[in-house]
Amino acid sequence: MNLKALYSLSYGLYVISSKDGDRINGQIANTVFQISSEPPTIAVSINKQNMTNELIRKSGLFCVSILPEETPLSLIGQFGFKSGRDVDKFADVHYRTTPRGLPYLDEIALACIEAGVVQEADAGTHSVFIGEITAADVLKEGAPMTYAYYHQVKRGSTPPSAPTYVANNKEERRKGMDSYECSICGYEYIPADGDPENGIEPGTPFEKLPDDWTCPVCGAGKDAFEKIG
């Protein structure tokens, strides 16, 4: 069975948030889709081990912030590679709340959608929450980030808890080039591409990176990277 067939499916990139009383949390997700138009319903897929799953189950509510192509990798790392049980993901992020008190990223997101859960389906490692839309707004114009753009242009990595996670063949990805992989999140620094988002020009060798350069996804230092040939 060749699971690479799944790479042909189309996905976006979103922050899914929820709450339990005064406690809020959010996470990166790529599986959000509209189910019906009357009533308007959407579905999200959330790993059962994630704190966001727990909050959605308790509150029966979730909110989707639709991310644009210019979303910095650091924000994706904040919501995708850290646990809400360890850090307050919204502590240093500007956000507002929906009519029912769910946080959304008002400064970066293109749109936000609030929904109340009407059905939950067990999908093995994940729960699929189907929600009827209770509020929605367009925040600004822009191109929504697709999962393909995230991987191919921004060269982002996928956490093992994501529904689309498939272990990659690193030798095939490198194609004979020396590259350096973050041992924390799996981000791969390719010297030929550099890190333009953080001022690192294409062609910059890893050894020439500033000492204070950090992984653009999870913030790990250079000592967390390993040469993978």
Side-chain angles (χ1 to χ4, degrees):
M1 179 168 59
N2 188 355
L3 292 178
K4 288 183 180 179
L6 297 173
Y7 293 168
S8 297
L9 295 175
S10 179
Y11 301 90
L13 215 63
Y14 318 92
V15 169
I16 310 300
S17 58
S18 190
K19 70 167 189 172
D20 176 28
D22 294 331
R23 185 173 62 157
I24 61 174
N25 191 55
Q27 67 162 78
I28 293 292
N30 56 29
T31 309
V32 178
F33 49 97
Q34 183 176 353
I35 298 294
S36 64
S37 57
E38 188 57 46
T41 58
I42 59 174
V44 299
S45 179
I46 305 293
N47 191 288
K48 293 177 181 177
Q49 297 183 9
N50 290 0
M51 180 177 171
T52 303
N53 187 302
E54 174 188 334
L55 298 188
I56 294 175
R57 286 188 167 193
K58 288 184 176 180
S59 67
L61 301 168
F62 64 85
C63 180
V64 179
S65 294
I66 301 173
L67 300 179
E69 289 181 345
E70 63 267 22
T71 302
L73 283 175
S74 58
L75 185 140
I76 297 172
Q78 173 79 358
F79 284 92
F81 290 90
K82 296 180 181 180
S83 172
R85 296 184 177 90
D86 301 325
V87 299
D88 178 359
K89 297 184 184 182
F90 285 95
D92 299 316
V93 178
H94 193 277
Y95 68 91
R96 292 184 180 178
T97 55
T98 66
R100 302 175 88 173
L102 304 184
Y104 65 93
L105 306 179
D106 63 310
E107 289 189 340
I108 187 68
L110 299 176
C112 64
I113 304 171
E114 178 195 77
V117 177
V118 295
Q119 188 174 343
E120 178 185 343
D122 189 318
T125 57
H126 287 64
S127 301
V128 177
F129 297 104
I130 299 175
E132 183 173 340
I133 296 175
T134 52
D137 197 9
V138 175
L139 305 175
K140 65 178 182 179
E141 298 297 322
M145 190 188 309
T146 65
Y147 208 47
Y149 186 93
Y150 169 63
H151 279 288
Q152 296 169 11
V153 179
K154 300 184 82 71
R155 302 194 327 277
S157 50
T158 302
S161 62
T164 53
Y165 177 78
V166 177
N168 289 329
N169 184 321
K170 294 178 182 177
E171 291 296 335
E172 181 179 327
R173 284 162 55 215
R174 287 182 225 124
K175 297 180 180 179
M177 295 181 63
D178 285 343
S179 59
Y180 299 77
E181 184 177 76
C182 177
S183 60
I184 307 300
C185 72
Y187 170 83
E188 195 165 343
Y189 176 79
I190 300 174
D193 296 335
D195 179 19
E197 193 172 284
N198 292 295
I200 304 301
E201 296 292 331
T204 302
F206 184 81
E207 296 79 6
K208 297 293 185 180
L209 292 174
D211 291 338
D212 60 354
W213 180 84
T214 59
C215 174
V217 174
C218 71
K222 289 177 63 179
D223 56 354
F225 280 74
E226 299 174 354
K227 184 176 179 179
I228 52 179

